[in-house]
Amino acid sequence: MRKRYINIIGRYLMTVFVLGLMTGCEDITPEIEGKVDLVESLLEIGLKGYAIDSVYTEFDFYRGTNARITGFRKGIIRHENGAIQSIQWSSASPSVEYGGSYIHYSYEGLRSEIWLNAYGFADNVMNRYSDGSLQSRLEYTYDAAGRLQYVRVERPAMEPIYVVYQYQDDAVSILEDGNVYPISLSVRDDDSNEVKKQDNVGYICDVLRFGTSPLTNIVIIPDLYYQGIYGTPVKYLPAEMIESRIRNGYQSVTRVGSRYFFYQ
């Protein structure tokens, strides 16, 4: 009988030990091969701001450990003979607040409450108007390479819609509400007549927005693309009018379509 009790106690203690190991272990998040620290990349190449058409956005950076964008200011660029002559700064600029696992971003009457996953990518987002009413709720999913794969979009009194991103070697396709929005990543060289791809140097270009899918404008906030929260960025530039120049011995992209990029 005593031996039986010893065996029971032994099995009990072993069970407690195993359960302790199971509950004491945390899930290990696998590394994403080639994960990009976009803010560090921007600092390295010296990007200070970008413009879409004439609307210019300039960044303020925290440059220490865990570098991040701490502020934005916006203005209207005045061009003359293809060169910037002046910037008329806006009195209202976006505000951004960082927590351990969230970002709050507010601009033009819309507040985005963004919860991040273990990789620092957007996971769930609530977009609300200034009166607190809901504009949209978003859920993000990424593939094994960390690229944005699909986003579930919920809006009041509307059926949920999925925005799906598919990646090929020379193109990206966006599927939204039964429509396909293609983004070609290859261009034909005028001199050699060869089809080539151009590197998205520093990942400065938010390539997914070149698909012009309507809901991508909700899914990806242009300013926060540069904080690197929308997954691994696209490596190559879209097949748009591209301008670049040599800067500090390196090729720098200065324009893609109607988007301009400015350096320190």
Side-chain angles (χ1 to χ4, degrees):
M1 180 68 72
R2 182 179 179 184
K3 183 177 180 180
R4 182 185 171 204
Y5 281 126
I6 290 174
N7 288 337
I8 291 173
I9 292 171
R11 286 196 298 270
Y12 172 78
L13 292 175
M14 181 59 70
T15 301
V16 171
F17 176 73
V18 171
L19 288 174
L21 288 177
M22 292 175 63
T23 56
C25 294
E26 296 181 358
D27 290 337
I28 298 174
T29 303
E31 288 294 322
I32 295 174
E33 185 176 352
K35 184 176 184 295
V36 175
D37 187 327
L38 190 49
V39 175
E40 287 288 355
S41 177
L42 301 182
L43 292 172
E44 183 177 346
I45 66 173
L47 191 78
K48 68 176 182 179
Y50 74 100
I52 301 177
D53 295 318
S54 61
V55 180
Y56 175 61
T57 303
E58 191 167 273
F59 308 119
D60 287 326
F61 292 103
Y62 168 70
R63 299 171 182 267
T65 304
N66 298 321
R68 60 187 178 273
I69 297 170
T70 57
F72 309 87
R73 63 172 179 164
K74 292 184 179 285
I76 302 298
I77 293 176
R78 184 173 68 85
H79 292 274
E80 188 172 306
N81 298 324
I84 296 176
Q85 295 300 312
S86 64
I87 300 174
Q88 181 180 350
W89 294 107
S90 172
S91 59
S93 294
S95 65
V96 62
E97 173 191 346
Y98 297 94
S101 59
Y102 68 84
I103 298 175
H104 290 171
Y105 172 89
S106 299
Y107 185 53
E108 293 187 327
L110 192 67
R111 177 178 174 84
S112 299
E113 302 166 358
I114 303 159
W115 285 268
L116 308 175
N117 66 15
Y119 297 108
F121 299 155
D123 189 13
N124 288 276
V125 176
M126 298 286 282
N127 294 315
R128 298 183 182 277
Y129 295 110
S130 55
D131 63 1
S133 61
L134 182 68
Q135 187 239 33
S136 58
R137 181 177 183 271
L138 314 172
E139 296 179 6
Y140 295 72
T141 300
Y142 304 85
D143 66 15
R147 299 174 300 191
L148 186 59
Q149 188 172 33
Y150 62 85
V151 185
R152 187 177 191 268
V153 181
E154 296 180 25
R155 291 168 293 177
M158 300 178 70
E159 289 293 320
I161 292 178
Y162 285 88
V163 184
V164 181
Y165 299 89
Q166 297 179 339
Y167 304 87
Q168 298 84 40
D169 183 56
D170 61 351
V172 179
S173 297
I174 303 176
L175 285 66
E176 176 190 316
D177 200 21
N179 298 307
V180 179
Y181 301 88
I183 307 169
S184 176
L185 304 179
S186 60
V187 294
R188 186 171 296 278
D189 186 88
D190 293 334
D191 297 325
S192 64
N193 207 34
E194 294 181 15
V195 175
K196 298 181 178 180
K197 291 181 290 186
Q198 297 194 45
D199 287 340
N200 187 5
V201 180
Y203 299 97
I204 64 170
C205 183
D206 178 5
V207 173
L208 295 181
R209 292 181 64 88
F210 279 80
T212 64
S213 71
L215 287 181
T216 295
N217 295 327
I218 294 176
V219 167
I220 299 176
I221 299 171
D223 291 344
L224 293 185
Y225 164 80
Y226 293 96
Q227 183 58 38
I229 69 169
Y230 298 113
T232 302
V234 177
K235 184 177 182 179
Y236 299 106
L237 292 173
E240 301 283 335
M241 177 63 72
I242 298 169
E243 294 178 355
S244 60
R245 62 184 173 87
I246 300 296
R247 179 181 172 277
N248 297 332
Y250 296 95
Q251 193 82 5
S252 296
V253 178
T254 56
R255 180 165 76 95
V256 181
S258 62
R259 288 159 171 79
Y260 297 80
F261 307 98
F262 303 90
Y263 301 84
Q264 300 286 348

